Amino acid sequence: MIARMRRPAGFSWDDRKYLRNLQLHKVPFEVAALAFDDPDRLIEYDDRPFGYDEDRYYLIGNADGILLYVAHTYIAVGGEGDDKDDLITHLISARKAERSERDEYERNKAERL
């Protein structure tokens, strides 16, 4: 059994994907959620043509001193119909950022200065 931290408020994930992601990438989603607090984070729409039935985004951000790439989407929660105006962040996968992603993060950070 894997001991997990408490799920952060405002985040959701599929428990099977959590375990698969942990096995493949060794990044718990609880840690990945910390990357959203990085003031230099980069969030972009993922427009690659994979045929997902949802809009997906990626974040490149620092969590506990590790630069991560986090795939995610947003899910409306709350009331019925038009009352669903609260969004939660649904995590799909998280891994250490690759070199090109680290470069993208640093370029974005430098442009913001």
Side-chain angles (χ1 to χ4, degrees), residues 15-80:
D15 287 334
R16 290 185 314 258
K17 284 197 175 190
Y18 176 98
L19 293 173
R20 179 140 172 80
N21 191 82
L22 196 58
Q23 180 183 35
L24 287 175
H25 303 297
K26 312 290 189 261
V27 178
F29 285 165
E30 298 92 343
V31 172
L34 298 174
F36 286 80
D37 293 333
D38 177 1
D40 297 315
R41 71 190 176 278
L42 170 65
I43 299 176
E44 296 284 335
Y45 178 72
D46 188 350
D47 59 359
R48 296 175 295 171
F50 287 124
Y52 298 124
D53 60 349
E54 63 201 1
D55 288 334
R56 289 193 175 193
Y57 300 83
Y58 68 87
L59 170 139
I60 303 171
N62 192 312
D64 285 349
I66 302 168
L67 198 58
L68 298 178
Y69 176 98
V70 182
H72 64 285
T73 190
Y74 299 101
I75 298 175
V77 296
E80 298 292 322

